mmCIF file of all heavy atoms in Angstrom:
data_model
loop_
_atom_site.group_PDB
_atom_site.id
_atom_site.type_symbol
_atom_site.label_atom_id
_atom_site.label_comp_id
_atom_site.label_asym_id
_atom_site.label_seq_id
_atom_site.Cartn_x
_atom_site.Cartn_y
_atom_site.Cartn_z
ATOM 1 N N ILE A 167 25.371 9.584 -19.696
ATOM 2 C CA ILE A 167 25.394 11.043 -19.832
ATOM 3 C C ILE A 167 24.513 11.679 -18.750
ATOM 4 O O ILE A 167 24.913 12.651 -18.102
ATOM 5 C CB ILE A 167 24.934 11.477 -21.240
ATOM 6 C CG1 ILE A 167 25.980 11.074 -22.275
ATOM 7 C CG2 ILE A 167 24.674 12.988 -21.295
ATOM 8 C CD1 ILE A 167 25.508 11.230 -23.707
ATOM 9 N N THR A 168 23.339 11.140 -18.547
ATOM 10 C CA THR A 168 22.443 11.647 -17.502
ATOM 11 C C THR A 168 23.087 11.477 -16.130
ATOM 12 O O THR A 168 23.019 12.374 -15.285
ATOM 13 C CB THR A 168 21.085 10.928 -17.573
ATOM 14 O OG1 THR A 168 20.506 11.179 -18.857
ATOM 15 C CG2 THR A 168 20.142 11.420 -16.491
ATOM 16 N N GLU A 171 25.663 14.156 -15.710
ATOM 17 C CA GLU A 171 24.999 15.439 -15.398
ATOM 18 C C GLU A 171 24.603 15.484 -13.927
ATOM 19 O O GLU A 171 24.844 16.470 -13.238
ATOM 20 C CB GLU A 171 23.769 15.621 -16.287
ATOM 21 C CG GLU A 171 22.783 16.663 -15.818
ATOM 22 C CD GLU A 171 23.265 18.104 -15.912
ATOM 23 O OE1 GLU A 171 24.234 18.391 -16.616
ATOM 24 O OE2 GLU A 171 22.658 18.954 -15.241
ATOM 25 N N VAL A 175 28.436 17.218 -13.176
ATOM 26 C CA VAL A 175 28.134 18.607 -13.542
ATOM 27 C C VAL A 175 27.424 19.332 -12.408
ATOM 28 O O VAL A 175 27.819 20.436 -12.026
ATOM 29 C CB VAL A 175 27.299 18.677 -14.842
ATOM 30 C CG1 VAL A 175 26.914 20.110 -15.172
ATOM 31 C CG2 VAL A 175 28.070 18.049 -16.001
ATOM 32 N N LYS A 176 26.406 18.723 -11.843
ATOM 33 C CA LYS A 176 25.663 19.390 -10.764
ATOM 34 C C LYS A 176 26.552 19.695 -9.572
ATOM 35 O O LYS A 176 26.414 20.751 -8.952
ATOM 36 C CB LYS A 176 24.442 18.561 -10.355
ATOM 37 C CG LYS A 176 23.312 18.684 -11.347
ATOM 38 C CD LYS A 176 22.056 17.998 -10.889
ATOM 39 C CE LYS A 176 20.977 18.183 -11.955
ATOM 40 N NZ LYS A 176 19.778 17.439 -11.659
ATOM 41 N N LEU A 214 30.294 15.649 -21.611
ATOM 42 C CA LEU A 214 29.323 16.380 -22.433
ATOM 43 C C LEU A 214 29.994 16.996 -23.655
ATOM 44 O O LEU A 214 29.473 16.922 -24.776
ATOM 45 C CB LEU A 214 28.637 17.467 -21.607
ATOM 46 C CG LEU A 214 27.882 17.011 -20.364
ATOM 47 C CD1 LEU A 214 27.282 18.209 -19.647
ATOM 48 C CD2 LEU A 214 26.827 15.987 -20.699
ATOM 49 N N CYS A 222 26.903 14.151 -31.331
ATOM 50 C CA CYS A 222 25.782 15.056 -31.647
ATOM 51 C C CYS A 222 25.586 15.365 -33.131
ATOM 52 O O CYS A 222 24.446 15.462 -33.574
ATOM 53 C CB CYS A 222 25.900 16.350 -30.841
ATOM 54 S SG CYS A 222 25.546 16.094 -29.091
ATOM 55 N N SER A 226 20.257 13.193 -33.311
ATOM 56 C CA SER A 226 19.461 14.316 -32.797
ATOM 57 C C SER A 226 19.025 14.108 -31.348
ATOM 58 O O SER A 226 18.908 15.072 -30.591
ATOM 59 C CB SER A 226 18.246 14.574 -33.685
ATOM 60 O OG SER A 226 17.418 13.432 -33.737
ATOM 61 N N ASP A 227 18.773 12.864 -30.924
ATOM 62 C CA ASP A 227 18.392 12.617 -29.528
ATOM 63 C C ASP A 227 19.522 13.000 -28.574
ATOM 64 O O ASP A 227 19.293 13.654 -27.556
ATOM 65 C CB ASP A 227 18.029 11.141 -29.303
ATOM 66 C CG ASP A 227 16.694 10.761 -29.921
ATOM 67 O OD1 ASP A 227 15.907 11.671 -30.255
ATOM 68 O OD2 ASP A 227 16.449 9.553 -30.086
ATOM 69 N N THR A 228 20.726 12.593 -28.921
ATOM 70 C CA THR A 228 21.877 12.940 -28.082
ATOM 71 C C THR A 228 22.119 14.436 -28.119
ATOM 72 O O THR A 228 22.427 15.051 -27.098
ATOM 73 C CB THR A 228 23.138 12.180 -28.542
ATOM 74 O OG1 THR A 228 22.843 10.789 -28.566
ATOM 75 C CG2 THR A 228 24.303 12.432 -27.611
ATOM 76 N N SER A 229 21.952 15.028 -29.284
ATOM 77 C CA SER A 229 22.117 16.479 -29.419
ATOM 78 C C SER A 229 21.148 17.214 -28.499
ATOM 79 O O SER A 229 21.531 18.178 -27.821
ATOM 80 C CB SER A 229 21.902 16.888 -30.876
ATOM 81 O OG SER A 229 22.164 18.248 -31.047
ATOM 82 N N SER A 230 19.921 16.756 -28.424
ATOM 83 C CA SER A 230 18.929 17.370 -27.530
ATOM 84 C C SER A 230 19.325 17.196 -26.065
ATOM 85 O O SER A 230 19.170 18.121 -25.265
ATOM 86 C CB SER A 230 17.550 16.744 -27.752
ATOM 87 O OG SER A 230 17.075 17.054 -29.032
ATOM 88 N N LEU A 231 19.840 16.022 -25.733
ATOM 89 C CA LEU A 231 20.266 15.748 -24.356
ATOM 90 C C LEU A 231 21.418 16.667 -23.954
ATOM 91 O O LEU A 231 21.400 17.272 -22.882
ATOM 92 C CB LEU A 231 20.676 14.278 -24.221
ATOM 93 C CG LEU A 231 21.127 13.782 -22.851
ATOM 94 C CD1 LEU A 231 20.038 13.956 -21.806
ATOM 95 C CD2 LEU A 231 21.547 12.314 -22.948
ATOM 96 N N ILE A 232 22.395 16.818 -24.828
ATOM 97 C CA ILE A 232 23.541 17.675 -24.528
ATOM 98 C C ILE A 232 23.103 19.136 -24.485
ATOM 99 O O ILE A 232 23.534 19.898 -23.606
ATOM 100 C CB ILE A 232 24.676 17.458 -25.556
ATOM 101 C CG1 ILE A 232 25.182 16.008 -25.513
ATOM 102 C CG2 ILE A 232 25.819 18.447 -25.320
ATOM 103 C CD1 ILE A 232 25.696 15.540 -24.171
ATOM 104 N N ALA A 233 22.227 19.544 -25.385
ATOM 105 C CA ALA A 233 21.722 20.924 -25.385
ATOM 106 C C ALA A 233 21.002 21.238 -24.068
ATOM 107 O O ALA A 233 21.157 22.332 -23.512
ATOM 108 C CB ALA A 233 20.787 21.153 -26.568
ATOM 109 N N THR A 234 20.245 20.285 -23.556
ATOM 110 C CA THR A 234 19.566 20.463 -22.272
ATOM 111 C C THR A 234 20.589 20.657 -21.154
ATOM 112 O O THR A 234 20.417 21.519 -20.281
ATOM 113 C CB THR A 234 18.665 19.251 -21.969
ATOM 114 O OG1 THR A 234 17.661 19.174 -22.987
ATOM 115 C CG2 THR A 234 18.006 19.361 -20.610
ATOM 116 N N ASN A 235 21.650 19.877 -21.190
ATOM 117 C CA ASN A 235 22.702 20.006 -20.186
ATOM 118 C C ASN A 235 23.393 21.366 -20.281
ATOM 119 O O ASN A 235 23.678 21.991 -19.259
ATOM 120 C CB ASN A 235 23.722 18.872 -20.325
ATOM 121 C CG ASN A 235 23.194 17.565 -19.776
ATOM 122 O OD1 ASN A 235 22.909 17.463 -18.603
ATOM 123 N ND2 ASN A 235 23.048 16.573 -20.618
ATOM 124 N N TYR A 236 23.654 21.826 -21.486
ATOM 125 C CA TYR A 236 24.284 23.132 -21.655
ATOM 126 C C TYR A 236 23.364 24.251 -21.175
ATOM 127 O O TYR A 236 23.818 25.220 -20.574
ATOM 128 C CB TYR A 236 24.691 23.361 -23.109
ATOM 129 C CG TYR A 236 25.953 22.615 -23.529
ATOM 130 C CD1 TYR A 236 26.304 22.530 -24.857
ATOM 131 C CD2 TYR A 236 26.794 22.006 -22.603
ATOM 132 C CE1 TYR A 236 27.454 21.867 -25.260
ATOM 133 C CE2 TYR A 236 27.933 21.331 -22.989
ATOM 134 C CZ TYR A 236 28.262 21.270 -24.324
ATOM 135 O OH TYR A 236 29.410 20.610 -24.715
ATOM 136 N N ARG A 237 22.059 24.112 -21.425
ATOM 137 C CA ARG A 237 21.104 25.116 -20.931
ATOM 138 C C ARG A 237 21.108 25.147 -19.401
ATOM 139 O O ARG A 237 20.985 26.215 -18.798
ATOM 140 C CB ARG A 237 19.699 24.851 -21.463
ATOM 141 C CG ARG A 237 19.492 25.325 -22.898
ATOM 142 C CD ARG A 237 18.030 25.294 -23.324
ATOM 143 N NE ARG A 237 17.449 23.968 -23.298
ATOM 144 C CZ ARG A 237 17.518 23.089 -24.296
ATOM 145 N NH1 ARG A 237 18.168 23.392 -25.403
ATOM 146 N NH2 ARG A 237 16.954 21.908 -24.190
ATOM 147 N N SER A 238 21.267 23.995 -18.788
ATOM 148 C CA SER A 238 21.351 23.929 -17.328
ATOM 149 C C SER A 238 22.582 24.678 -16.823
ATOM 150 O O SER A 238 22.521 25.398 -15.825
ATOM 151 C CB SER A 238 21.381 22.465 -16.883
ATOM 152 O OG SER A 238 21.526 22.373 -15.493
ATOM 153 N N MET A 239 23.698 24.520 -17.505
ATOM 154 C CA MET A 239 24.909 25.266 -17.135
ATOM 155 C C MET A 239 24.670 26.766 -17.281
ATOM 156 O O MET A 239 25.041 27.552 -16.406
ATOM 157 C CB MET A 239 26.085 24.861 -18.030
ATOM 158 C CG MET A 239 26.651 23.510 -17.761
ATOM 159 S SD MET A 239 28.025 23.210 -18.901
ATOM 160 C CE MET A 239 28.106 21.438 -18.819
ATOM 161 N N GLU A 240 24.065 27.145 -18.398
ATOM 162 C CA GLU A 240 23.771 28.570 -18.632
ATOM 163 C C GLU A 240 22.888 29.130 -17.523
ATOM 164 O O GLU A 240 23.116 30.247 -17.049
ATOM 165 C CB GLU A 240 23.093 28.767 -19.987
ATOM 166 C CG GLU A 240 24.030 28.691 -21.155
ATOM 167 C CD GLU A 240 23.348 28.982 -22.479
ATOM 168 O OE1 GLU A 240 22.357 29.755 -22.511
ATOM 169 O OE2 GLU A 240 23.800 28.437 -23.495
ATOM 170 N N LYS A 241 21.886 28.364 -17.115
ATOM 171 C CA LYS A 241 21.004 28.821 -16.036
ATOM 172 C C LYS A 241 21.778 29.026 -14.739
ATOM 173 O O LYS A 241 21.510 29.964 -13.991
ATOM 174 C CB LYS A 241 19.855 27.824 -15.823
ATOM 175 C CG LYS A 241 18.803 27.881 -16.898
ATOM 176 C CD LYS A 241 17.703 26.865 -16.630
ATOM 177 C CE LYS A 241 16.704 26.837 -17.771
ATOM 178 N NZ LYS A 241 15.676 25.814 -17.583
ATOM 179 N N SER A 242 22.734 28.132 -14.473
ATOM 180 C CA SER A 242 23.558 28.279 -13.272
ATOM 181 C C SER A 242 24.376 29.559 -13.335
ATOM 182 O O SER A 242 24.438 30.324 -12.371
ATOM 183 C CB SER A 242 24.487 27.073 -13.114
ATOM 184 O OG SER A 242 23.743 25.891 -12.954
ATOM 185 N N THR A 270 29.420 29.722 -20.723
ATOM 186 C CA THR A 270 29.249 28.291 -20.998
ATOM 187 C C THR A 270 30.102 27.878 -22.188
ATOM 188 O O THR A 270 30.831 26.882 -22.124
ATOM 189 C CB THR A 270 27.766 27.959 -21.257
ATOM 190 O OG1 THR A 270 27.001 28.344 -20.112
ATOM 191 C CG2 THR A 270 27.567 26.469 -21.515
#
Side-chain angles (χ1 to χ4, degrees):
I167 291 169
T168 300
E171 163 69 17
V175 177
K176 283 186 180 174
L214 301 179
C222 289
S226 60
D227 287 344
T228 306
S229 185
S230 294
L231 181 60
I232 298 302
T234 298
N235 284 298
Y236 283 168
R237 281 191 298 274
S238 177
M239 287 180 200
E240 283 184 30
K241 286 180 185 177
S242 298
T270 302

